Structure formats: structure tokens, C-alpha cells
Amino acid sequence: MKTKAYVLDAVRTPRGRGKKGGALYEVAPIELLATLFRALEDRKGLDTSQVDDVMIGCVTAVGDQGADIGRMATLYAGWDDRVPGAQINRFCASGLDAVNLAAAKVGSGWDSLVVAGGVESMSRVPMASDGGAALIDPKVNRKIGFVPQGIGADLLATLEGLDRETVDRFALCSQQRAAQARESGRFKSLVPVLDQNGLVILDRDETIRADATLEALGSLSPAFQQMGEMGFDAVALQKYPQVERINHVHTAGNSSGLADGAALILVGSREKAAALGVNPRARIVSGALVGTEPTIMLVGPAPASRKALRQAGMTVADVDLIEVNEAFASVVLRFMREMGIDDFDRVNVNGGAIAMGHPLGATGAVLLSTALDELERQDKETALVTLCAGGGMGIATIIERV
């Protein structure tokens, strides 16, 4: 890149339960974003006319989330009407892809200040309600070997030899770490969601279970066995004939939960930061995308991370902290094996989506904000953020504290 791109600030909402009874169900996704746009403006005394672009990840862009919510949310938040906006869908990678694209725009010199991030209100706009050929057209389904992600996760666990207790123990660790992080106030980027009277609707991640136990997790039924028996197991086994049968180990307790939430990252050049009187918090070192086998779908984090590390001239040993999206327990465990990481001391140290939920379009930006907060807390230097994504994709970003 001609110009280095920096993270000038990062904010996120709490994650609410992505169902009608969740705390954020009453809050439209445009309100979640507007909360963060106003927070960025207030925290930095930002002249919004200086922003060159806004890029918002959102996976299910219909209903409350349709019609280019990136542009509409800036207008709704009262930002200068000269600020354009876009909506991006790269499935679960959308929020981090928006950040990487913002860094590329700044790095090219075409822009000097971009807001990037994502939003998903899964309680109001159900996952897959936008349809799509892979879901509704049997011919396309057969051609690409599509199966639901949960089947891919159980297939991955089977191939990796991960039994139920192993994935449940990982889930328990996620809950315990997230509970400790919440109680210790480690999520510094979090911005409470308020109602029109200024009363708090939600000021902490809603789905963390501090009382989780291995016994309670073990009592849950496999979430994807029935759909596997409906025919999806057979589709997956056509691609993986070496597997005799799929061991269905993933449950609601060791998979990411549906969630509502939003996150924004302010990305700019050092020159623009100086002009605004803002101290950069981190530099975006590299970013990478890959495609992988689409039936199993969930193995993208390791190859994407290796690609980002190569671009940065680094190895995984050079990274202080790693955030891997906990789409399913097996995803993180496979990533660690592939990357040669033997312990959890630097991986998801504050828990992850198993405990706090996965608001699809926002999660990548949420993870980046979490990584940056933790780098600052521990006085460490570098972090790697990575996610798997639908259709067999992977994304990764490396940041370095300034």
C-alpha cells in the first residue's frame, strides 16, 4: 500500500440474544448503527464531513436491513449528507471485509478516512430470509454440494476426531472467559444502547452464561442430527467417502448463538489523524481472503491467516493475541491444530461467539475491537483476527498497536 492505514477508534454495541425475547429486539438495526455513529462523532469530536466513505457489512439485507443501510444509517445519525455509504455481504466475513476494504481504500490514497464495520439484527431479520439459489434451488444445491453449516461443523469434528466432551469443554472455556472479561470491564469499546429517553436498554453482552457447567452442556441434544438424517449427511459423505458416518457433536451450547449487534471501526491515514487531532490506536498490517471446499465450508481461517501472515512477513509465533470466530467449537480447534498452536493462552482470551453470540454482519468488526482492547490492556503489540464464512471462505486481518 502507498499509505499506511490505521485504526483511529473502535466501538461496538453489546450483543443481544437474537430472538424476539432478546433485549435488542425492540431496537431496529439502523438504530444500533446510529448509536455507534454518534458515539464515534462524540468520542473524537469528529467533523463528519471529513469522512470519505462508510462501508457496512450486513448478511441478510432485507426488511429492516435492506436498502443500503450503510448510507441510510449515516443520514439517520445526522452525519453530513456528503458522506456516501455501502452495504457489503461476504457472509460471516462481512464486518471484517469492510475493515479490510477500508484499509485498502486508505492505503491506495483514494480515501483518507473511512468508517467500516457491520450490523445484524437476527431477532428482527431471521438468518436466510433473503433466500438465495444455494438454499432454494435444488439444482444449484446439488451442483455445489451445499449442506447447512451445522452439518459441516459435525463433519469437521468427525474428521478431526473431536468427541462431544472435547467440544463441550471448549464451550465451557468460552463461557468462563467471557464472564470474567465482562465482570472485569475488559470490553472498553462497548457502547450501551439507550432508548429515546436515555434509559439503558442493554449495556452488557446478554447471552454469557456465568453459571455454565460441563454437565449442563452435556445434557443438550445434538442440534444438527435430524437435518443430517433428512439427507444432508448423505450429501456431505459423497464429498468425504472416507468417513463412515458423521458424529453429530455440536449443540446449541457449543455453537455460536443468534445475536443482535453492531460495530464500527474508524480507519484513516496518519496524516488525516493528525489533522483531526486523533491518536491512532493501531495499524492495519495486512488482510487476506481465501476460498476453500464449500461443503465442509468452515476451514478458511487457517489458510486465510497464513496468507495474511505471509503478506506481513510474519509467522504465527510473532502474534501476541488471536481472535478466531467461534462459529462452532470444531472450527477453532481445527484452526489451532493447523496453525500449530498447542495452548489457549493467546486464543480467544475473553471468550467468543459461543458465549456472546454471532451477529453475522458485525462479528468481524466486533472481534477486531475486542482484540484491540485486549492488546491495550495487556500492553501487547500484534493481533490476528480471523473468521470462516459461508460458501467455504475465510478472512484474516493483522493489526499492530501504535
Side-chain angles (χ1 to χ4, degrees), residues 308-325:
L309 289 164
R310 283 197 304 271
Q311 291 173 352
M314 300 168 64
T315 70
V316 72
D318 300 320
V319 178
D320 295 314
L321 295 172
I322 300 171
E323 289 286 335
V324 190
N325 186 37

Side-chain angles (χ1 to χ4, degrees), residues 59-319:
V59 174
T60 312
V62 296
D64 282 345
Q65 295 178 165
D68 189 357
I69 196 170
R71 166 65 170 170
M72 298 307 159
T74 60
L75 296 174
Y76 184 68
W79 278 30
D80 193 289
D81 59 15
R82 288 170 289 183
V83 181
Q87 189 162 331
I88 297 167
N89 181 8
R90 202 185 288 274
F91 296 127
C92 302
S94 300
L96 193 59
D97 196 34
V99 176
N100 288 354
L101 289 170
K105 286 164 72 69
V106 170
S108 72
W110 287 15
D111 291 332
S112 59
L113 190 66
V114 180
V115 176
V119 67
E120 206 81 32
S121 180
M122 301 181 77
S123 65
R124 298 171 67 99
V125 186
M127 182 170 56
S129 56
D130 55 341
L135 293 178
I136 63 177
D137 188 332
K139 184 174 78 171
V140 174
N141 190 291
R142 288 193 300 270
K143 176 74 172 177
I144 66 175
F146 169 83
V147 299
Q149 281 196 342
I151 302 296
D154 284 338
L155 172 60
L156 181 59
T158 304
L159 290 167
E160 291 293 307
L162 301 173
D163 60 18
R164 175 66 181 272
E165 182 177 352
T166 300
V167 292
D168 279 350
R169 285 191 181 279
F170 179 86
L172 180 61
C173 179
S174 179
Q175 292 285 0
Q176 292 172 336
R177 287 182 168 189
Q180 182 181 25
R182 183 177 65 180
E183 297 311 310
S184 301
R186 293 184 186 178
F187 300 127
K188 299 298 185 184
S189 297
L190 191 146
V191 175
V193 177
L194 310 178
D195 68 12
Q196 60 185 2
N197 299 313
L199 300 176
V200 173
I201 296 174
L202 188 65
D203 62 359
R204 51 172 33 200
D205 295 306
E206 184 180 20
T207 62
I208 298 172
R209 295 292 301 270
D211 60 348
T213 65
L214 195 61
E215 292 74 23
L217 289 167
S219 70
L220 299 174
S221 300
F224 309 104
Q225 185 168 344
Q226 185 175 6
M227 66 174 62
E229 292 170 351
M230 291 169 57
F232 285 114
D233 277 4
V235 174
L237 293 176
Q238 286 179 354
K239 281 280 188 80
Y240 294 85
Q242 70 270 34
V243 176
E244 183 178 348
R245 67 177 182 85
I246 294 174
N247 186 18
H248 291 283
V249 298
H250 286 94
T251 69
N254 55 42
S255 308
S256 58
L258 306 179
D260 301 338
L264 294 179
I265 311 295
L266 183 62
V267 180
S269 66
R270 185 177 281 280
E271 292 75 17
K272 176 60 75 171
L276 295 173
V278 174
N279 291 321
R281 295 176 64 187
R283 180 171 71 92
I284 300 174
V285 178
S286 66
L289 285 159
V290 298
T292 63
E293 197 280 298
T295 297
I296 204 165
M297 200 183 303
L298 304 168
V299 297
S305 296
R306 287 194 291 265
K307 185 176 180 181
L309 289 164
R310 283 197 304 271
Q311 291 173 352
M314 300 168 64
T315 70
V316 72
D318 300 320
V319 178

